[in-house]
Amino acid sequence: MQYTHTVLTTASPEKVWDIWTDVKNWKNWEGTVVDSTITGDFKTNAKGVLVSEQGPRAKFKITACTPLFSYTIDTQLPFAHLYIKRLIGYHNKKTVITNQVWMEGPLSVFWWKYIGKKYLDKMPNIMDRFKKLAEA
C-alpha cells in the first residue's frame, strides 16, 4: 500500500520547500486538508495537528527533515499510521517534486480503503494545484 506521484515544475527548490513547510497554509493546495497547525519550527520531531475533510483531527509528527530536500510526516490514526514523504530534486533545469504516501499498522488496510483511496484519486489534482501555486 504505497503510492508515489511526481511532477516537474519551473519553481525553484527554495520556493517549493517554503510552500511545503508552511503548515498553516496546507489547506490552500492540499485538497484533503481543512486546517493544520504545528508547534514550533518545521524540523524533525516537531508535532502538529491536521483536520482532513474525511476525518477527525489527527496528530502528526515530522519523523525526518532534510531542508530543501525532503521530509516525512507520520499521521496517527486508530491502530495505523499514515506516512507522507515529500522529496525535491532537480533535473534538466526543472525542479522535481515527489509525494509518497503509505500506511502501516493493524488497521492500515481499513484506513487505506477508507481514506487512502480517496486521497490517491485526488493526488494528481493536488500536485497540479501545488505546482501552479509554486510557479505563481
PDB file of all heavy atoms in Angstrom, residues 28-66:
ATOM      1  N   ASN A  28      -4.468  25.440   1.395  1.00  0.00           N
ATOM      2  CA  ASN A  28      -4.559  26.177   0.141  1.00  0.00           C
ATOM      3  C   ASN A  28      -4.239  25.338  -1.093  1.00  0.00           C
ATOM      4  O   ASN A  28      -4.558  25.736  -2.207  1.00  0.00           O
ATOM      5  CB  ASN A  28      -3.638  27.400   0.171  1.00  0.00           C
ATOM      6  CG  ASN A  28      -4.082  28.409   1.195  1.00  0.00           C
ATOM      7  OD1 ASN A  28      -5.246  28.484   1.564  1.00  0.00           O
ATOM      8  ND2 ASN A  28      -3.146  29.196   1.684  1.00  0.00           N
ATOM      9  N   TRP A  29      -3.596  24.202  -0.902  1.00  0.00           N
ATOM     10  CA  TRP A  29      -3.254  23.357  -2.046  1.00  0.00           C
ATOM     11  C   TRP A  29      -3.486  21.878  -1.786  1.00  0.00           C
ATOM     12  O   TRP A  29      -3.725  21.113  -2.698  1.00  0.00           O
ATOM     13  CB  TRP A  29      -1.803  23.582  -2.482  1.00  0.00           C
ATOM     14  CG  TRP A  29      -0.799  23.321  -1.406  1.00  0.00           C
ATOM     15  CD1 TRP A  29      -0.321  24.210  -0.482  1.00  0.00           C
ATOM     16  CD2 TRP A  29      -0.167  22.077  -1.107  1.00  0.00           C
ATOM     17  NE1 TRP A  29       0.564  23.579   0.363  1.00  0.00           N
ATOM     18  CE2 TRP A  29       0.678  22.271  -0.005  1.00  0.00           C
ATOM     19  CE3 TRP A  29      -0.236  20.813  -1.681  1.00  0.00           C
ATOM     20  CZ2 TRP A  29       1.450  21.253   0.559  1.00  0.00           C
ATOM     21  CZ3 TRP A  29       0.530  19.785  -1.135  1.00  0.00           C
ATOM     22  CH2 TRP A  29       1.371  20.031  -0.024  1.00  0.00           C
ATOM     23  N   GLU A  30      -3.403  21.477  -0.532  1.00  0.00           N
ATOM     24  CA  GLU A  30      -3.585  20.072  -0.162  1.00  0.00           C
ATOM     25  C   GLU A  30      -5.083  19.805  -0.069  1.00  0.00           C
ATOM     26  O   GLU A  30      -5.715  20.103   0.924  1.00  0.00           O
ATOM     27  CB  GLU A  30      -2.894  19.788   1.171  1.00  0.00           C
ATOM     28  CG  GLU A  30      -3.063  18.400   1.721  1.00  0.00           C
ATOM     29  CD  GLU A  30      -2.424  17.317   0.895  1.00  0.00           C
ATOM     30  OE1 GLU A  30      -1.207  17.161   0.936  1.00  0.00           O
ATOM     31  OE2 GLU A  30      -3.179  16.615   0.211  1.00  0.00           O
ATOM     32  N   GLY A  31      -5.654  19.280  -1.132  1.00  0.00           N
ATOM     33  CA  GLY A  31      -7.095  19.184  -1.292  1.00  0.00           C
ATOM     34  C   GLY A  31      -7.868  18.479  -0.209  1.00  0.00           C
ATOM     35  O   GLY A  31      -9.078  18.619  -0.130  1.00  0.00           O
ATOM     36  N   THR A  32      -7.222  17.711   0.645  1.00  0.00           N
ATOM     37  CA  THR A  32      -7.949  16.989   1.684  1.00  0.00           C
ATOM     38  C   THR A  32      -7.826  17.637   3.059  1.00  0.00           C
ATOM     39  O   THR A  32      -8.478  17.207   3.994  1.00  0.00           O
ATOM     40  CB  THR A  32      -7.445  15.533   1.781  1.00  0.00           C
ATOM     41  OG1 THR A  32      -6.063  15.548   2.119  1.00  0.00           O
ATOM     42  CG2 THR A  32      -7.642  14.799   0.462  1.00  0.00           C
ATOM     43  N   VAL A  33      -7.000  18.662   3.191  1.00  0.00           N
ATOM     44  CA  VAL A  33      -6.761  19.303   4.485  1.00  0.00           C
ATOM     45  C   VAL A  33      -7.653  20.528   4.639  1.00  0.00           C
ATOM     46  O   VAL A  33      -7.679  21.403   3.780  1.00  0.00           O
ATOM     47  CB  VAL A  33      -5.272  19.701   4.639  1.00  0.00           C
ATOM     48  CG1 VAL A  33      -5.054  20.507   5.901  1.00  0.00           C
ATOM     49  CG2 VAL A  33      -4.399  18.459   4.641  1.00  0.00           C
ATOM     50  N   VAL A  34      -8.372  20.583   5.763  1.00  0.00           N
ATOM     51  CA  VAL A  34      -9.233  21.714   6.087  1.00  0.00           C
ATOM     52  C   VAL A  34      -8.495  22.701   6.991  1.00  0.00           C
ATOM     53  O   VAL A  34      -8.644  23.907   6.863  1.00  0.00           O
ATOM     54  CB  VAL A  34     -10.532  21.221   6.771  1.00  0.00           C
ATOM     55  CG1 VAL A  34     -11.401  22.381   7.221  1.00  0.00           C
ATOM     56  CG2 VAL A  34     -11.308  20.306   5.843  1.00  0.00           C
ATOM     57  N   ASP A  35      -7.670  22.173   7.900  1.00  0.00           N
ATOM     58  CA  ASP A  35      -6.914  23.014   8.822  1.00  0.00           C
ATOM     59  C   ASP A  35      -5.679  22.244   9.285  1.00  0.00           C
ATOM     60  O   ASP A  35      -5.696  21.011   9.350  1.00  0.00           O
ATOM     61  CB  ASP A  35      -7.778  23.394  10.030  1.00  0.00           C
ATOM     62  CG  ASP A  35      -7.153  24.475  10.892  1.00  0.00           C
ATOM     63  OD1 ASP A  35      -6.393  25.316  10.349  1.00  0.00           O
ATOM     64  OD2 ASP A  35      -7.414  24.498  12.107  1.00  0.00           O
ATOM     65  N   SER A  36      -4.609  22.982   9.609  1.00  0.00           N
ATOM     66  CA  SER A  36      -3.391  22.344  10.099  1.00  0.00           C
ATOM     67  C   SER A  36      -2.569  23.350  10.896  1.00  0.00           C
ATOM     68  O   SER A  36      -2.540  24.532  10.573  1.00  0.00           O
ATOM     69  CB  SER A  36      -2.566  21.779   8.936  1.00  0.00           C
ATOM     70  OG  SER A  36      -2.377  22.747   7.931  1.00  0.00           O
ATOM     71  N   THR A  37      -1.936  22.842  11.936  1.00  0.00           N
ATOM     72  CA  THR A  37      -1.074  23.670  12.784  1.00  0.00           C
ATOM     73  C   THR A  37       0.164  22.868  13.160  1.00  0.00           C
ATOM     74  O   THR A  37       0.167  21.643  13.113  1.00  0.00           O
ATOM     75  CB  THR A  37      -1.797  24.103  14.083  1.00  0.00           C
ATOM     76  OG1 THR A  37      -2.193  22.927  14.805  1.00  0.00           O
ATOM     77  CG2 THR A  37      -3.024  24.953  13.789  1.00  0.00           C
ATOM     78  N   ILE A  38       1.203  23.591  13.542  1.00  0.00           N
ATOM     79  CA  ILE A  38       2.437  22.956  14.003  1.00  0.00           C
ATOM     80  C   ILE A  38       2.918  23.711  15.230  1.00  0.00           C
ATOM     81  O   ILE A  38       2.731  24.929  15.329  1.00  0.00           O
ATOM     82  CB  ILE A  38       3.515  22.932  12.892  1.00  0.00           C
ATOM     83  CG1 ILE A  38       4.712  22.058  13.298  1.00  0.00           C
ATOM     84  CG2 ILE A  38       3.932  24.321  12.504  1.00  0.00           C
ATOM     85  CD1 ILE A  38       5.670  21.757  12.168  1.00  0.00           C
ATOM     86  N   THR A  39       3.505  22.982  16.143  1.00  0.00           N
ATOM     87  CA  THR A  39       4.079  23.587  17.332  1.00  0.00           C
ATOM     88  C   THR A  39       5.574  23.751  17.097  1.00  0.00           C
ATOM     89  O   THR A  39       6.283  22.770  16.902  1.00  0.00           O
ATOM     90  CB  THR A  39       3.837  22.703  18.575  1.00  0.00           C
ATOM     91  OG1 THR A  39       2.424  22.490  18.698  1.00  0.00           O
ATOM     92  CG2 THR A  39       4.360  23.357  19.827  1.00  0.00           C
ATOM     93  N   GLY A  40       6.034  24.992  17.053  1.00  0.00           N
ATOM     94  CA  GLY A  40       7.454  25.247  16.852  1.00  0.00           C
ATOM     95  C   GLY A  40       7.829  25.284  15.388  1.00  0.00           C
ATOM     96  O   GLY A  40       7.000  25.428  14.497  1.00  0.00           O
ATOM     97  N   ASP A  41       9.135  25.122  15.150  1.00  0.00           N
ATOM     98  CA  ASP A  41       9.682  25.180  13.802  1.00  0.00           C
ATOM     99  C   ASP A  41       9.463  23.865  13.054  1.00  0.00           C
ATOM    100  O   ASP A  41       9.312  22.803  13.662  1.00  0.00           O
ATOM    101  CB  ASP A  41      11.186  25.465  13.854  1.00  0.00           C
ATOM    102  CG  ASP A  41      11.491  26.841  14.417  1.00  0.00           C
ATOM    103  OD1 ASP A  41      10.658  27.759  14.241  1.00  0.00           O
ATOM    104  OD2 ASP A  41      12.562  26.996  15.048  1.00  0.00           O
ATOM    105  N   PHE A  42       9.507  23.942  11.741  1.00  0.00           N
ATOM    106  CA  PHE A  42       9.368  22.770  10.887  1.00  0.00           C
ATOM    107  C   PHE A  42      10.713  22.042  10.870  1.00  0.00           C
ATOM    108  O   PHE A  42      11.643  22.442  10.158  1.00  0.00           O
ATOM    109  CB  PHE A  42       8.963  23.179   9.472  1.00  0.00           C
ATOM    110  CG  PHE A  42       8.452  22.032   8.659  1.00  0.00           C
ATOM    111  CD1 PHE A  42       7.095  21.811   8.527  1.00  0.00           C
ATOM    112  CD2 PHE A  42       9.328  21.169   8.027  1.00  0.00           C
ATOM    113  CE1 PHE A  42       6.615  20.753   7.781  1.00  0.00           C
ATOM    114  CE2 PHE A  42       8.867  20.101   7.274  1.00  0.00           C
ATOM    115  CZ  PHE A  42       7.508  19.884   7.153  1.00  0.00           C
ATOM    116  N   LYS A  43      10.809  21.000  11.683  1.00  0.00           N
ATOM    117  CA  LYS A  43      12.040  20.216  11.766  1.00  0.00           C
ATOM    118  C   LYS A  43      11.713  18.841  12.328  1.00  0.00           C
ATOM    119  O   LYS A  43      10.594  18.598  12.800  1.00  0.00           O
ATOM    120  CB  LYS A  43      13.082  20.924  12.626  1.00  0.00           C
ATOM    121  CG  LYS A  43      12.653  21.147  14.061  1.00  0.00           C
ATOM    122  CD  LYS A  43      13.708  21.908  14.837  1.00  0.00           C
ATOM    123  CE  LYS A  43      13.266  22.087  16.276  1.00  0.00           C
ATOM    124  NZ  LYS A  43      14.246  22.805  17.060  1.00  0.00           N
ATOM    125  N   THR A  44      12.679  17.948  12.292  1.00  0.00           N
ATOM    126  CA  THR A  44      12.492  16.603  12.809  1.00  0.00           C
ATOM    127  C   THR A  44      12.004  16.662  14.250  1.00  0.00           C
ATOM    128  O   THR A  44      12.496  17.451  15.053  1.00  0.00           O
ATOM    129  CB  THR A  44      13.802  15.803  12.715  1.00  0.00           C
ATOM    130  OG1 THR A  44      14.222  15.775  11.346  1.00  0.00           O
ATOM    131  CG2 THR A  44      13.628  14.375  13.218  1.00  0.00           C
ATOM    132  N   ASN A  45      11.016  15.836  14.557  1.00  0.00           N
ATOM    133  CA  ASN A  45      10.363  15.683  15.856  1.00  0.00           C
ATOM    134  C   ASN A  45       9.343  16.772  16.176  1.00  0.00           C
ATOM    135  O   ASN A  45       8.715  16.713  17.223  1.00  0.00           O
ATOM    136  CB  ASN A  45      11.373  15.544  16.996  1.00  0.00           C
ATOM    137  CG  ASN A  45      12.178  14.271  16.879  1.00  0.00           C
ATOM    138  OD1 ASN A  45      11.634  13.219  16.535  1.00  0.00           O
ATOM    139  ND2 ASN A  45      13.469  14.355  17.116  1.00  0.00           N
ATOM    140  N   ALA A  46       9.160  17.757  15.299  1.00  0.00           N
ATOM    141  CA  ALA A  46       8.100  18.744  15.519  1.00  0.00           C
ATOM    142  C   ALA A  46       6.753  18.028  15.394  1.00  0.00           C
ATOM    143  O   ALA A  46       6.614  17.060  14.654  1.00  0.00           O
ATOM    144  CB  ALA A  46       8.202  19.879  14.513  1.00  0.00           C
ATOM    145  N   LYS A  47       5.774  18.547  16.138  1.00  0.00           N
ATOM    146  CA  LYS A  47       4.446  17.925  16.142  1.00  0.00           C
ATOM    147  C   LYS A  47       3.392  18.939  15.740  1.00  0.00           C
ATOM    148  O   LYS A  47       3.571  20.141  15.911  1.00  0.00           O
ATOM    149  CB  LYS A  47       4.131  17.373  17.525  1.00  0.00           C
ATOM    150  CG  LYS A  47       5.069  16.256  17.928  1.00  0.00           C
ATOM    151  CD  LYS A  47       4.758  15.742  19.305  1.00  0.00           C
ATOM    152  CE  LYS A  47       5.742  14.625  19.665  1.00  0.00           C
ATOM    153  NZ  LYS A  47       5.490  14.100  21.000  1.00  0.00           N
ATOM    154  N   GLY A  48       2.314  18.411  15.208  1.00  0.00           N
ATOM    155  CA  GLY A  48       1.216  19.268  14.802  1.00  0.00           C
ATOM    156  C   GLY A  48      -0.082  18.498  14.759  1.00  0.00           C
ATOM    157  O   GLY A  48      -0.156  17.327  15.130  1.00  0.00           O
ATOM    158  N   VAL A  49      -1.107  19.210  14.298  1.00  0.00           N
ATOM    159  CA  VAL A  49      -2.439  18.631  14.175  1.00  0.00           C
ATOM    160  C   VAL A  49      -2.998  19.034  12.820  1.00  0.00           C
ATOM    161  O   VAL A  49      -2.804  20.169  12.382  1.00  0.00           O
ATOM    162  CB  VAL A  49      -3.366  19.136  15.304  1.00  0.00           C
ATOM    163  CG1 VAL A  49      -4.785  18.642  15.111  1.00  0.00           C
ATOM    164  CG2 VAL A  49      -2.835  18.736  16.667  1.00  0.00           C
ATOM    165  N   LEU A  50      -3.665  18.094  12.178  1.00  0.00           N
ATOM    166  CA  LEU A  50      -4.351  18.440  10.942  1.00  0.00           C
ATOM    167  C   LEU A  50      -5.766  17.895  10.978  1.00  0.00           C
ATOM    168  O   LEU A  50      -6.057  16.920  11.648  1.00  0.00           O
ATOM    169  CB  LEU A  50      -3.583  17.975   9.706  1.00  0.00           C
ATOM    170  CG  LEU A  50      -3.344  16.491   9.465  1.00  0.00           C
ATOM    171  CD1 LEU A  50      -4.524  15.846   8.771  1.00  0.00           C
ATOM    172  CD2 LEU A  50      -2.115  16.325   8.618  1.00  0.00           C
ATOM    173  N   VAL A  51      -6.630  18.581  10.259  1.00  0.00           N
ATOM    174  CA  VAL A  51      -8.014  18.161  10.126  1.00  0.00           C
ATOM    175  C   VAL A  51      -8.268  17.957   8.643  1.00  0.00           C
ATOM    176  O   VAL A  51      -8.047  18.873   7.850  1.00  0.00           O
ATOM    177  CB  VAL A  51      -8.985  19.228  10.691  1.00  0.00           C
ATOM    178  CG1 VAL A  51     -10.430  18.778  10.529  1.00  0.00           C
ATOM    179  CG2 VAL A  51      -8.666  19.543  12.142  1.00  0.00           C
ATOM    180  N   SER A  52      -8.697  16.759   8.284  1.00  0.00           N
ATOM    181  CA  SER A  52      -8.991  16.490   6.877  1.00  0.00           C
ATOM    182  C   SER A  52     -10.491  16.537   6.662  1.00  0.00           C
ATOM    183  O   SER A  52     -11.271  16.426   7.604  1.00  0.00           O
ATOM    184  CB  SER A  52      -8.436  15.130   6.459  1.00  0.00           C
ATOM    185  OG  SER A  52      -9.263  14.098   6.933  1.00  0.00           O
ATOM    186  N   GLU A  53     -10.877  16.681   5.419  1.00  0.00           N
ATOM    187  CA  GLU A  53     -12.295  16.723   5.094  1.00  0.00           C
ATOM    188  C   GLU A  53     -12.969  15.387   5.337  1.00  0.00           C
ATOM    189  O   GLU A  53     -14.180  15.301   5.442  1.00  0.00           O
ATOM    190  CB  GLU A  53     -12.499  17.155   3.639  1.00  0.00           C
ATOM    191  CG  GLU A  53     -11.940  16.180   2.640  1.00  0.00           C
ATOM    192  CD  GLU A  53     -12.012  16.653   1.200  1.00  0.00           C
ATOM    193  OE1 GLU A  53     -12.231  17.845   0.978  1.00  0.00           O
ATOM    194  OE2 GLU A  53     -11.843  15.813   0.306  1.00  0.00           O
ATOM    195  N   GLN A  54     -12.181  14.325   5.454  1.00  0.00           N
ATOM    196  CA  GLN A  54     -12.733  12.986   5.590  1.00  0.00           C
ATOM    197  C   GLN A  54     -12.661  12.420   6.997  1.00  0.00           C
ATOM    198  O   GLN A  54     -13.091  11.309   7.232  1.00  0.00           O
ATOM    199  CB  GLN A  54     -11.997  12.031   4.645  1.00  0.00           C
ATOM    200  CG  GLN A  54     -12.143  12.439   3.208  1.00  0.00           C
ATOM    201  CD  GLN A  54     -11.053  11.850   2.360  1.00  0.00           C
ATOM    202  OE1 GLN A  54      -9.912  11.779   2.775  1.00  0.00           O
ATOM    203  NE2 GLN A  54     -11.409  11.435   1.163  1.00  0.00           N
ATOM    204  N   GLY A  55     -12.097  13.165   7.918  1.00  0.00           N
ATOM    205  CA  GLY A  55     -11.946  12.556   9.224  1.00  0.00           C
ATOM    206  C   GLY A  55     -11.744  13.555  10.338  1.00  0.00           C
ATOM    207  O   GLY A  55     -11.750  14.764  10.120  1.00  0.00           O
ATOM    208  N   PRO A  56     -11.551  13.026  11.531  1.00  0.00           N
ATOM    209  CA  PRO A  56     -11.350  13.875  12.696  1.00  0.00           C
ATOM    210  C   PRO A  56      -9.945  14.467  12.721  1.00  0.00           C
ATOM    211  O   PRO A  56      -9.114  14.186  11.859  1.00  0.00           O
ATOM    212  CB  PRO A  56     -11.543  12.898  13.856  1.00  0.00           C
ATOM    213  CG  PRO A  56     -11.100  11.581  13.300  1.00  0.00           C
ATOM    214  CD  PRO A  56     -11.493  11.616  11.844  1.00  0.00           C
ATOM    215  N   ARG A  57      -9.706  15.273  13.736  1.00  0.00           N
ATOM    216  CA  ARG A  57      -8.369  15.818  13.943  1.00  0.00           C
ATOM    217  C   ARG A  57      -7.388  14.669  14.100  1.00  0.00           C
ATOM    218  O   ARG A  57      -7.686  13.674  14.744  1.00  0.00           O
ATOM    219  CB  ARG A  57      -8.347  16.672  15.210  1.00  0.00           C
ATOM    220  CG  ARG A  57      -9.156  17.915  15.127  1.00  0.00           C
ATOM    221  CD  ARG A  57      -9.345  18.605  16.478  1.00  0.00           C
ATOM    222  NE  ARG A  57      -8.196  18.590  17.339  1.00  0.00           N
ATOM    223  CZ  ARG A  57      -7.343  19.600  17.486  1.00  0.00           C
ATOM    224  NH1 ARG A  57      -7.531  20.717  16.831  1.00  0.00           N
ATOM    225  NH2 ARG A  57      -6.322  19.509  18.307  1.00  0.00           N
ATOM    226  N   ALA A  58      -6.227  14.830  13.508  1.00  0.00           N
ATOM    227  CA  ALA A  58      -5.193  13.797  13.605  1.00  0.00           C
ATOM    228  C   ALA A  58      -3.878  14.460  13.960  1.00  0.00           C
ATOM    229  O   ALA A  58      -3.521  15.496  13.400  1.00  0.00           O
ATOM    230  CB  ALA A  58      -5.068  13.044  12.287  1.00  0.00           C
ATOM    231  N   LYS A  59      -3.174  13.870  14.894  1.00  0.00           N
ATOM    232  CA  LYS A  59      -1.855  14.360  15.262  1.00  0.00           C
ATOM    233  C   LYS A  59      -0.842  13.875  14.238  1.00  0.00           C
ATOM    234  O   LYS A  59      -0.966  12.772  13.707  1.00  0.00           O
ATOM    235  CB  LYS A  59      -1.467  13.862  16.645  1.00  0.00           C
ATOM    236  CG  LYS A  59      -2.342  14.388  17.739  1.00  0.00           C
ATOM    237  CD  LYS A  59      -1.914  13.816  19.077  1.00  0.00           C
ATOM    238  CE  LYS A  59      -2.812  14.317  20.192  1.00  0.00           C
ATOM    239  NZ  LYS A  59      -2.442  13.728  21.480  1.00  0.00           N
ATOM    240  N   PHE A  60       0.155  14.709  13.984  1.00  0.00           N
ATOM    241  CA  PHE A  60       1.241  14.263  13.117  1.00  0.00           C
ATOM    242  C   PHE A  60       2.572  14.655  13.750  1.00  0.00           C
ATOM    243  O   PHE A  60       2.647  15.542  14.593  1.00  0.00           O
ATOM    244  CB  PHE A  60       1.117  14.814  11.690  1.00  0.00           C
ATOM    245  CG  PHE A  60       1.398  16.285  11.536  1.00  0.00           C
ATOM    246  CD1 PHE A  60       2.688  16.758  11.354  1.00  0.00           C
ATOM    247  CD2 PHE A  60       0.364  17.205  11.565  1.00  0.00           C
ATOM    248  CE1 PHE A  60       2.949  18.110  11.203  1.00  0.00           C
ATOM    249  CE2 PHE A  60       0.600  18.563  11.413  1.00  0.00           C
ATOM    250  CZ  PHE A  60       1.902  19.012  11.234  1.00  0.00           C
ATOM    251  N   LYS A  61       3.599  13.964  13.310  1.00  0.00           N
ATOM    252  CA  LYS A  61       4.962  14.232  13.766  1.00  0.00           C
ATOM    253  C   LYS A  61       5.875  14.192  12.548  1.00  0.00           C
ATOM    254  O   LYS A  61       5.725  13.320  11.685  1.00  0.00           O
ATOM    255  CB  LYS A  61       5.400  13.176  14.771  1.00  0.00           C
ATOM    256  CG  LYS A  61       6.810  13.359  15.283  1.00  0.00           C
ATOM    257  CD  LYS A  61       7.168  12.275  16.293  1.00  0.00           C
ATOM    258  CE  LYS A  61       8.586  12.433  16.784  1.00  0.00           C
ATOM    259  NZ  LYS A  61       8.946  11.374  17.729  1.00  0.00           N
ATOM    260  N   ILE A  62       6.790  15.135  12.484  1.00  0.00           N
ATOM    261  CA  ILE A  62       7.799  15.119  11.420  1.00  0.00           C
ATOM    262  C   ILE A  62       8.885  14.143  11.864  1.00  0.00           C
ATOM    263  O   ILE A  62       9.581  14.391  12.850  1.00  0.00           O
ATOM    264  CB  ILE A  62       8.369  16.524  11.164  1.00  0.00           C
ATOM    265  CG1 ILE A  62       7.242  17.479  10.751  1.00  0.00           C
ATOM    266  CG2 ILE A  62       9.463  16.464  10.103  1.00  0.00           C
ATOM    267  CD1 ILE A  62       7.646  18.931  10.720  1.00  0.00           C
ATOM    268  N   THR A  63       8.989  13.035  11.165  1.00  0.00           N
ATOM    269  CA  THR A  63       9.932  11.994  11.580  1.00  0.00           C
ATOM    270  C   THR A  63      11.293  12.130  10.911  1.00  0.00           C
ATOM    271  O   THR A  63      12.266  11.534  11.374  1.00  0.00           O
ATOM    272  CB  THR A  63       9.359  10.596  11.303  1.00  0.00           C
ATOM    273  OG1 THR A  63       9.057  10.483   9.909  1.00  0.00           O
ATOM    274  CG2 THR A  63       8.089  10.358  12.118  1.00  0.00           C
ATOM    275  N   ALA A  64      11.343  12.884   9.829  1.00  0.00           N
ATOM    276  CA  ALA A  64      12.611  13.140   9.145  1.00  0.00           C
ATOM    277  C   ALA A  64      12.486  14.456   8.399  1.00  0.00           C
ATOM    278  O   ALA A  64      11.429  14.760   7.852  1.00  0.00           O
ATOM    279  CB  ALA A  64      12.944  12.014   8.169  1.00  0.00           C
ATOM    280  N   CYS A  65      13.562  15.223   8.392  1.00  0.00           N
ATOM    281  CA  CYS A  65      13.533  16.509   7.701  1.00  0.00           C
ATOM    282  C   CYS A  65      14.947  16.896   7.281  1.00  0.00           C
ATOM    283  O   CYS A  65      15.830  17.068   8.129  1.00  0.00           O
ATOM    284  CB  CYS A  65      12.932  17.586   8.604  1.00  0.00           C
ATOM    285  SG  CYS A  65      12.810  19.212   7.847  1.00  0.00           S
ATOM    286  N   THR A  66      15.133  16.997   5.983  1.00  0.00           N
ATOM    287  CA  THR A  66      16.382  17.493   5.419  1.00  0.00           C
ATOM    288  C   THR A  66      16.013  18.716   4.586  1.00  0.00           C
ATOM    289  O   THR A  66      15.454  18.567   3.488  1.00  0.00           O
ATOM    290  CB  THR A  66      17.060  16.430   4.530  1.00  0.00           C
ATOM    291  OG1 THR A  66      17.257  15.244   5.300  1.00  0.00           O
ATOM    292  CG2 THR A  66      18.393  16.934   4.000  1.00  0.00           C
TER     293      THR A  66
END
